[in-house]
């Protein structure tokens, strides 16, 4: 059976035709990567939100301590 060296020319692959792959898809940057990147962005946004809440809570606690010391 003859094998092709060109990924977009599936000579001898059998089982029908293969989808032509773009350069990005061959480098694993296809549509699935966009979902992965979106998931990572969501995780980062959640982490930033939690950090800001903790900082705000610590700041409020510090201000409350200052108010009682001044009274």
């Amino acid at each position: 059976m003859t094998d092709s060296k060109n990924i977009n020319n599936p000579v001898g692959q059998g089982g029908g035709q293969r989808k032509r792959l773009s350069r990005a898809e061959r480098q694993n940057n296809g549509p699935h990567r966009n979902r992965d990147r979106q998931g990572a962005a969501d995780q980062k946004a959640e982490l930033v939100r939690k950090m800001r809440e903790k900082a705000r809570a610590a700041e409020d606690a510090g201000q409350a301590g200052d108010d009682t010391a001044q009274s």
Side-chain angles (χ1 to χ4, degrees), residues 42-56:
D42 292 343
Q43 284 181 334
K44 182 177 178 181
E46 182 70 16
L47 181 62
V48 168
R49 184 186 63 79
K50 286 180 182 179
M51 290 173 65
R52 286 185 179 149
E53 285 179 1
K54 281 186 179 181
R56 191 175 303 125

Side-chain angles (χ1 to χ4, degrees), residues 18-70:
R18 287 174 51 181
K19 176 182 176 282
R20 289 181 68 95
L21 298 175
S22 68
R23 174 176 281 170
E25 288 171 328
R26 279 182 275 168
Q27 294 174 348
N28 291 328
N29 295 334
H32 63 279
R33 184 170 185 252
N34 295 336
R35 287 191 299 271
D36 293 343
R37 293 178 75 181
Q38 184 61 44
D42 292 343
Q43 284 181 334
K44 182 177 178 181
E46 182 70 16
L47 181 62
V48 168
R49 184 186 63 79
K50 286 180 182 179
M51 290 173 65
R52 286 185 179 149
E53 285 179 1
K54 281 186 179 181
R56 191 175 303 125
E59 186 178 298
D60 291 344
Q63 287 178 356
D66 292 343
D67 292 344
T68 55
Q70 292 174 357

